């Protein structure tokens, strides 16, 4: 299953990024690569049959799991790079779909200001990051390809502006690095005459997170705005590679956990205390194992502790 992933944009050296963009604009024509052309044309009929069978299977999965949906993305552009340090070929298929929500509106001036700011993580690009699949390049050599799906309107916007074009490639590269613990070269090439390597397949994306604490009382009408509770995020161990991310959320006046609804996503935590007591919606700095996250509420201290195993830093 493809989990719906909202990438928190992080760049280690923001001061060098603008200069890198400018240099890349000057070289964008030279970096195109037309070496991969029509390698799958002889398999068109077999591919159509495969897609029909896959669509039937994915439809059954969607029926069995109402918290997911099947999407069929459209090809967008294919980016060629290599993994580090082994220099293995990697292709990134950046696809487009209206099923993926768009990011907040951002002008070119705002993007430049964002890239130059000290905290660029405030702008997030919703995307679906697919599992790696093995392909064969035009030289009959094995390679790895990843499918990244973004909102179709945002993709078209990126195609019209060189700065946004390089921005969405960088976001896709860093998203794959964060999710799969990769290191990819920034010396990428956009293939001139190819929009996709391999075959475009349906994707099953998750539409909402599994609730950790189920609501046990009927929903009541909200008369007053809910408060944002105080909270603390802790990393265990404090030094070295993180193993667990622990959220301690203070909920004064809450007698029990019966009125709590908690959703833990890969990089997001949403908590609601009914009726209209507290509401917390935060993005956390690591990807976590949402299925194995646990929560405990201490009635004496009135603190909710959410323990989330870290899967990527």
């Amino acid at each position: 299953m493809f989990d719906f992933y909202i990438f928190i944009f992080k760049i280690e050296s923001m001061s060098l990024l603008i200069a890198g963009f400018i240099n890349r604009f000057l070289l964008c024509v030279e970096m195109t690569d037309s070496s991969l052309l029509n390698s799958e044309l002889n398999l068109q009929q077999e591919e159509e049959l495969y897609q029909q069978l896959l669509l039937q299977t994915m439809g059954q999965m969607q029926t069995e799991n109402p918290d997911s949906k099947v999407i069929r993305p459209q090809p967008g552009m294919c980016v060629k790079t290599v993994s580090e340090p082994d220099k293995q070929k990697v292709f990134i298929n950046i696809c487009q779909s209206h099923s993926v929500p768009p990011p907040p509106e951002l002008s070119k001036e705002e993007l430049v200001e964002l890239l130059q700011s000290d905290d660029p993580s405030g702008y997030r690009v919703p995307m679906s990051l697919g599992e790696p699949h093995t392909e064969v390049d035009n030289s009959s050599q094995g390679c790895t390809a990843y499918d990244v799906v973004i909102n179709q309107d945002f993709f078209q916007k990126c195609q019209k502006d060189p700065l946004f074009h390089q921005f969405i490639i960088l976001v896709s590269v860093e998203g794959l690095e964060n999710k799969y613990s990769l290191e990819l070269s920034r010396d990428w090439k956009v293939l001139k005459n190819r929009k996709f390597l391999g075959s475009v397949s349906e994707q099953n994306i998750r539409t909402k997170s599994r609730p950790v604490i189920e609501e046990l009382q009927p929903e009541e009408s909200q008369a007053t705005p809910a408060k944002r509770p105080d909270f603390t995020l802790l990393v265990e161990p404090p030094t070295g590679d993180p193993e667990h991310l622990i959220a301690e959320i203070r909920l004064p006046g809450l007698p029990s956990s019966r009125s709590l609804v908690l959703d833990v996503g890969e990089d997001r935590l949403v908590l609601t205390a009914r009726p209209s007591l507290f509401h917390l919606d935060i993005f956390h700095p690591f990807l976590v194992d949402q299925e194995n996250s646990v929560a405990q509420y201490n009635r004496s201290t009135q603190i909710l502790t959410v323990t989330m195993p870290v899967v990527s830093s």
Side-chain angles (χ1 to χ4, degrees):
M1 176 183 293
F2 291 82
D3 284 340
F4 188 78
Y5 174 68
I6 299 185
F7 173 57
I8 302 179
F9 182 46
K10 297 178 180 178
I11 300 177
E12 294 181 356
S13 178
M14 301 304 302
S15 61
L16 298 178
L17 182 60
I18 297 298
F21 275 135
I22 295 174
N23 293 334
R24 190 171 295 278
F25 298 158
L26 299 177
L27 298 175
C28 61
V29 176
E30 299 179 6
M31 290 192 302
T32 57
D33 186 347
S34 59
S35 61
L36 296 175
L37 295 174
N38 303 322
S39 61
E40 289 85 24
L41 290 179
N42 293 332
L43 300 177
Q44 182 175 1
Q45 293 181 345
E46 290 84 349
E47 176 61 25
E48 291 177 354
L49 177 59
Y50 167 77
Q51 293 295 337
Q52 293 175 3
L53 296 175
L54 181 61
L55 181 59
Q56 295 175 2
T57 303
M58 298 299 282
Q60 293 175 359
M61 291 175 60
Q62 184 175 6
T63 302
E64 296 170 357
N65 185 4
D67 292 341
S68 65
K69 63 183 296 186
V70 175
I71 67 171
R72 184 178 181 84
Q74 299 297 317
M77 61 178 169
C78 186
V79 179
K80 178 182 177 182
T81 185
V82 296
S83 58
E84 300 288 0
D86 55 0
K87 302 297 181 181
Q88 296 297 311
K89 290 182 182 179
V90 174
F91 293 85
I92 303 174
N93 299 315
I94 302 180
C95 308
Q96 49 188 321
S97 172
H98 286 302
S99 298
V100 178
E105 284 294 329
L106 188 70
S107 67
K108 184 175 182 178
E109 293 73 17
E110 290 172 332
L111 176 57
V112 173
E113 182 178 351
L114 173 73
L115 297 175
Q116 293 176 329
S117 67
D118 295 331
D119 183 21
S121 62
Y123 187 77
R124 299 175 176 87
V125 179
M127 58 176 56
S128 175
L129 302 178
E131 299 290 332
H133 50 96
T134 302
E135 301 294 342
V136 178
D137 65 12
N138 199 43
S139 303
S140 299
Q141 299 295 319
C143 60
T144 302
Y146 295 86
D147 303 339
V148 177
V149 187
I150 64 173
N151 176 263
Q152 187 165 351
D153 293 336
F154 185 67
F155 177 84
Q156 296 301 325
K157 178 179 180 178
C158 294
Q159 290 293 90
K160 298 176 182 178
D161 188 283
L163 181 61
F164 276 92
H165 185 261
Q166 297 299 316
F167 170 71
I168 195 57
I169 296 176
L170 182 60
V171 169
S172 301
V173 167
E174 292 204 348
L176 292 172
E177 287 180 327
N178 288 344
K179 185 170 185 179
Y180 295 111
S181 299
L182 304 174
E183 183 178 353
L184 300 176
S185 171
R186 283 354 186 223
D187 187 20
W188 59 65
K189 297 180 181 180
V190 178
L191 303 187
K192 184 177 181 180
N193 296 310
R194 177 180 288 273
K195 296 182 178 181
F196 200 95
L197 179 64
S199 58
V200 181
S201 302
E202 285 77 13
Q203 294 188 10
N204 196 34
I205 65 172
R206 181 165 301 178
T207 56
K208 72 174 185 176
S209 303
R210 178 182 64 89
V212 179
I213 299 180
E214 299 287 349
E215 182 182 8
L216 300 180
Q217 293 183 346
E219 180 178 354
E220 301 180 19
S221 60
Q222 294 188 357
T224 59
K227 297 180 180 179
R228 178 183 173 91
D230 294 331
F231 68 93
T232 302
L233 290 178
L234 305 174
V235 178
E236 292 293 342
T239 59
D241 295 332
E243 297 179 0
H244 291 87
L245 181 65
I246 301 174
E248 294 183 349
I249 307 170
R250 287 167 283 282
L251 303 169
L254 189 71
S256 71
S257 63
R258 289 172 57 86
S259 62
L260 292 179
V261 179
L262 176 65
D263 282 349
V264 175
E266 284 188 333
D267 67 340
R268 187 179 184 184
L269 183 149
V270 180
L271 173 69
T272 301
R274 308 288 177 87
S276 304
L277 295 177
F278 298 101
H279 181 73
L280 181 65
D281 187 348
I282 59 173
F283 288 89
H284 41 75
F286 304 110
L287 294 182
V288 301
D289 182 355
Q290 59 199 78
E291 300 297 331
N292 291 314
S293 298
V294 296
Q296 293 181 330
Y297 181 65
N298 189 319
R299 288 189 295 178
S300 61
T301 62
Q302 297 182 331
I303 293 178
L304 176 69
T305 302
V306 186
T307 303
M308 299 164 282
V310 174
V311 297
S312 177
S313 59

